[in-house]
Amino acid sequence: MPASGRPEGADRETARAGRRVAQGAVGRAEAPEPGEEPRHGQRPHHGGEGVGRPREGGSPSGAGRPRPRGGEPGGSVPEQTPHGGRAADSSAPHGEVSRPVAGEQVPAPAGPPTGPLPAPPARSAHPGESGEVAAARQAGGDRLRFIGAATRRIARGIDLDEIVLGLCRATVPTFADAILVYLRDPLPVGDERPTGPVVLRLRRTDRIPEEPDTNGGRLPMLPAQPDLGPAMGGSAAELAEVEPGGPLAEVLRGVRPLFGEAQAARTALPELLGPDPRLPGGHRVILAPLRGRRRVIGAAVFLRRPDRPAFEPDDLLVAAQLATHTALGVDKAVLYGREAYIADALQRTMLPDSLPQPTGVRLASRYLPAAETARVGGDWYDAIPLPGSRVALVVGDVMGHSMTSAAIMGQLRTTAQTLAGLDLPPQEVLHHLDEQAQRLGTDRMATCMYAVYDPVAHRITIANAGHPPPVMLHRGGRAEVLRVPSGAPIGVGGVDFEAVELDAPAGATLVLYTDGLVESRIRDVWTGIEQLRERLAETARLTGPNPPPLEPMCDEVLDMLGPGDRDDDIALLAARFDGIAPSDVAYWYLDPKAQTAGQARRLARRALARWGLEELTDQLELLVSEVVTNAVRYAERPITLRLLRTDVLRCEVGDDVPQLPRLRQARPSDEGGRGLYLVNRMARRWGATRLSMGKVVWFELSMPPGTPRR
């Protein structure tokens, strides 16, 4: 019996009850007192001061619960006797009045105590708790706060490196002195079923330095590396192949973290870290599998130095929480990386890899998504070579910048390329695009600008479907907003589109763009168009009489965007009109007669003599004769013959027959079928394009060596 008169063992029961409270906060199993055998199934003692069963409003043990005074609510500060003893406990079960324990002095009721009272002990948030119980509760709260802060730090990461770094920085040195993070290589994505052996690669390590520097401070944290130092186990293996049915595979399949001294972990750690890891003894190593949504994707090893406190059983639950959140974050990062890869691939497919280099025009382009996370949108641009050295310039904008908008944009771009190959007028192209958008859905809306430039005629034909107007930068530096009928957006249906034909002088630059360049939350579209016009004029003044280079000019245009001006995707297409001089063009109309082939040879020979290209006479006469003969055989109207002298010599023969010629292997008994074979073998390039009223067959010959480049 202690001097205080409490039964021997009551204090022990009180401490054990406090540990049960801490266990409820952090989930730790109860540990027996030092030197005491654990007792299974034994109920707490209900004698003496009612230690054991908690009551409403009281502490779990009931020890030290105050008796309310008259007119005072329960739960006040316990009464004290003048001699420092306790008042009778009022927490006896079933309403019984607690009686004094034998040997305990119970003073008679008296007036206020005389003399100073001893200072009461620090009160916890739960009246009646002992210091050990309060410390256990505080430790449990600290663990919960640490888990919350660590998981928030891990969840902030987007890519794989950020998530793994968040785990390391949240763990070291608060929870562990060192950490090793192993991930599968390669990481499975989604529902993919990996093939081949499971290989774990050391993704990152982190640790606190072991020795202070000369100034007494800590050394800076080392970068990710496998060397942990002698006190932390030395070097770790970079790669670890998990043997099917081996110790490491069993631990990973079990999912739950284990202390390093457990039998399963002792046999698994050498397979992961190497044959001789030399790890600290005791509860100083935790092996935690990383399990994602569908499978185990790695493992984490937490270590503490021998000179620091060892891990406690509750720390297994902490490691499990860290491993779970990290694995789910890795799964998220892998899926995000796959989506980003798909978005990049979709963008590369939907937008042209490179622009063509048609004769008489130079091109430059830019594309900027609305944000780094939205890599693909509904804006597109294109440049499509047409027969007669013409080129179609297209800029469009599908509403929205999602994957759906990108898919619709791809379909409209493909449709525009097909319609351009038919050599339809710009207004007809927009009409068919409008029909295609209606077939895709009732809410598929887009704007589009379609222009066709003819370098021989120095003219451009433009049709607009609800798109911002283009800007023409003339050679002298004057920037002009072209007046093009706006029209309704594509997808409205039931509207007509109108085309206008304008001059395109040599040296002028046409700028086509989407509304993301000129419209934002801080400015309206017409204010942005005026700013674009002023920026182009200012750029032209810097280069004087010569037009500004296209690539730097596009960069200057994009520099007009401020920090808050990026609300939408931006597509920009600039075309510098060089044109083809009339002296470099020879054009004839020929009647479809038997003598036309000979006439075409003579005209071609004279043109080459005028241009000083007599070296090409034999090749050109042979090929012109074959192509014109095929055209005369089936044509009913006059055929056209045109020669263009640029960096190559181009010959075009047009007729009113829509069937395109096909290259085939002629049999020995065939009288014809060898003309295109000769063209294919001798020409630099050749092709055939269907027109609305026939077709054009063309071929190109390389210029003789030493010919000045035009």
Side-chain angles (χ1 to χ4, degrees):
M1 179 73 67
S4 62
R6 295 170 55 87
E8 189 175 12
D11 292 334
R12 188 176 296 124
E13 294 289 346
T14 302
R16 190 154 45 240
R19 285 195 299 276
R20 283 195 297 270
V21 174
Q23 176 186 350
V26 297
R28 183 177 62 177
E30 178 181 349
E33 287 287 332
E36 179 186 7
E37 293 296 330
R39 290 173 292 181
H40 300 282
Q42 181 177 354
R43 296 181 59 84
H45 176 64
H46 284 279
E49 303 214 351
V51 178
R53 188 173 63 183
R55 297 174 56 86
E56 280 187 26
S59 66
S61 64
R65 180 177 178 181
R67 180 177 61 187
R69 298 180 183 178
E72 292 188 73
S76 61
V77 179
E79 297 181 12
Q80 295 183 352
T81 66
H83 304 285
R86 287 181 179 271
D89 193 356
S90 61
S91 62
H94 308 294
E96 296 179 1
V97 179
S98 62
R99 292 177 173 81
V101 182
E104 183 179 12
Q105 295 181 357
V106 180
T114 60
L117 292 175
R123 292 184 297 176
S124 67
H126 299 267
E129 285 185 351
S130 65
E132 184 179 354
V133 174
R137 184 183 295 276
Q138 179 68 25
D142 291 342
R143 284 190 178 92
L144 292 177
R145 284 188 291 272
F146 166 73
I147 291 174
T151 53
R152 286 192 298 270
R153 186 166 190 172
I154 295 170
R156 282 198 298 265
I158 296 179
D159 60 17
L160 192 61
D161 292 331
E162 289 180 353
I163 293 171
V164 176
L165 178 62
L167 170 65
C168 295
R169 295 298 169 85
T171 303
V172 179
T174 307
F175 180 72
D177 296 331
I179 183 176
L180 300 94
V181 182
Y182 283 84
L183 296 179
R184 292 184 66 162
D185 186 24
L187 280 166
V189 181
D191 295 328
E192 290 182 356
R193 299 186 65 87
T195 59
V198 178
V199 177
L200 300 182
R201 177 181 293 275
L202 183 63
R203 185 75 185 192
R204 185 178 180 87
T205 66
D206 214 343
R207 68 179 177 93
I208 58 175
E210 298 185 7
E211 298 294 338
D213 60 10
T214 55
N215 298 326
R218 291 290 181 186
L219 294 175
M221 188 169 295
L222 297 180
Q225 56 183 3
D227 186 11
L228 298 177
M232 300 305 299
S235 299
E238 187 74 21
L239 288 175
E241 183 174 342
V242 181
E243 299 180 2
L248 182 57
E250 293 298 326
V251 171
L252 296 179
R253 188 178 297 111
V255 177
R256 295 180 180 178
L258 299 174
F259 283 123
E261 63 182 5
Q263 178 62 30
R266 275 205 309 268
T267 56
L269 284 172
E271 186 178 346
L272 181 65
L273 304 179
D276 186 19
R278 303 189 308 277
L279 298 174
H283 286 9
R284 301 185 182 278
V285 179
I286 293 179
L287 174 58
L290 303 179
R291 182 174 181 83
R293 293 174 177 85
R294 294 174 178 85
R295 59 184 65 87
V296 175
I297 60 175
V301 181
F302 304 92
L303 302 99
R304 284 188 182 177
R305 294 176 177 174
D307 58 339
R308 294 183 179 271
F311 290 112
E312 299 181 7
D314 286 345
D315 293 328
L316 292 177
L317 301 177
V318 176
Q321 289 288 330
L322 297 176
T324 299
H325 284 272
T326 302
L328 295 178
V330 169
D331 263 357
K332 176 189 67 176
V334 172
L335 290 174
Y336 175 79
R338 174 59 61 89
E339 291 180 358
Y341 170 78
I342 294 174
D344 289 340
L346 184 60
Q347 178 181 359
R348 289 192 298 268
T349 303
M350 297 303 179
L351 297 177
D353 294 332
S354 61
L355 294 174
Q357 298 178 354
T359 302
V361 61
R362 287 174 286 171
L363 302 172
S365 63
R366 294 290 187 274
Y367 176 81
L368 294 178
E372 290 298 327
T373 54
R375 306 175 183 226
V376 175
D379 294 16
W380 90 91
Y381 62 89
D382 213 341
I384 309 168
L386 299 178
S389 299
R390 296 172 300 154
V391 59
L393 308 174
V394 190
V395 170
D397 182 6
V398 178
M399 291 186 179
H401 41 78
S402 62
M403 301 289 281
T404 302
S405 302
I408 297 172
M409 175 265 287
Q411 297 182 68
L412 294 180
R413 178 173 178 249
T414 303
T415 304
Q417 290 179 332
T418 303
L419 296 172
L422 299 177
D423 200 25
L424 298 178
Q427 65 271 21
E428 291 296 326
V429 172
L430 295 183
H431 175 74
H432 289 292
L433 285 177
D434 180 63
E435 292 181 341
Q436 175 66 11
Q438 294 179 65
R439 284 190 291 267
L440 295 176
T442 57
D443 57 343
R444 308 309 187 193
M445 305 284 291
T447 62
C448 184
M449 180 77 66
Y450 189 92
V452 175
Y453 170 64
D454 188 344
V456 177
H458 295 272
R459 304 282 290 179
I460 185 170
T461 306
I462 307 176
N464 189 6
H467 206 75
V471 179
M472 179 81 77
L473 178 62
H474 294 274
R475 189 181 183 89
R478 180 174 63 91
E480 174 189 8
V481 179
L482 300 182
R483 297 183 178 181
V484 180
S486 178
I490 292 172
V492 174
V495 296
D496 292 332
F497 299 97
E498 182 180 355
V500 295
E501 188 174 351
L502 304 172
D503 288 331
T509 305
L510 182 69
V511 178
L512 305 176
Y513 54 91
T514 56
D515 58 356
L517 180 65
V518 296
E519 185 179 17
S520 67
R521 290 171 293 180
I522 62 177
R523 63 180 177 182
D524 61 87
V525 60
W526 288 107
T527 301
I529 292 174
E530 181 62 23
Q531 292 180 1
L532 172 61
R533 189 192 65 79
E534 293 176 355
R535 175 57 64 95
L536 289 173
E538 180 181 354
T539 304
R541 284 194 293 269
L542 297 176
T543 59
N546 298 320
L550 279 182
E551 297 293 340
M553 187 193 74
C554 292
D555 295 334
E556 287 291 331
V557 168
L558 294 181
D559 286 343
M560 66 178 277
L561 297 172
D565 291 352
R566 291 285 304 280
D567 296 334
D568 198 0
D569 305 337
I570 298 175
L572 176 67
L573 180 63
R576 174 70 46 76
F577 300 140
D578 294 333
I580 300 177
S583 58
D584 294 328
V585 180
Y587 193 86
W588 303 277
Y589 284 96
L590 304 175
D591 292 329
K593 299 184 298 183
Q595 300 81 5
T596 302
Q599 182 183 4
R601 290 193 297 269
R602 290 191 299 271
L603 295 174
R605 185 168 56 250
R606 294 173 185 174
L608 292 182
R610 186 169 67 251
W611 292 335
L613 300 176
E614 290 84 355
E615 296 181 29
L616 301 178
T617 300
D618 295 338
Q619 299 180 51
L620 183 62
E621 286 188 357
L622 177 59
L623 299 185
V624 165
S625 178
E626 294 294 337
V627 175
V628 170
T629 300
N630 290 337
V632 169
R633 179 176 301 178
Y634 304 103
E636 297 180 357
R637 298 179 181 179
I639 64 174
T640 59
L641 173 63
R642 184 165 73 169
L643 298 179
L644 301 174
R645 181 183 61 163
T646 57
D647 53 343
V648 296
L649 180 64
R650 182 182 177 98
C651 175
E652 300 174 351
V653 177
D655 57 56
D656 59 347
V657 181
Q659 286 78 18
L660 298 180
R662 301 297 181 189
L663 182 64
R664 62 185 180 88
Q665 187 69 34
R667 293 173 298 182
S669 58
D670 292 341
E671 296 182 0
R674 297 174 179 84
L676 288 181
Y677 179 77
L678 291 175
V679 174
N680 183 63
R681 292 297 301 269
M682 300 181 63
R684 178 175 178 266
R685 290 194 311 156
W686 77 279
T689 305
R690 182 178 287 110
L691 305 178
S692 57
M693 298 297 293
K695 69 175 181 295
V696 169
V697 180
W698 57 270
F699 62 87
E700 294 176 354
L701 297 177
S702 299
M703 288 293 187
T707 304
R709 186 178 179 87
R710 306 189 63 82

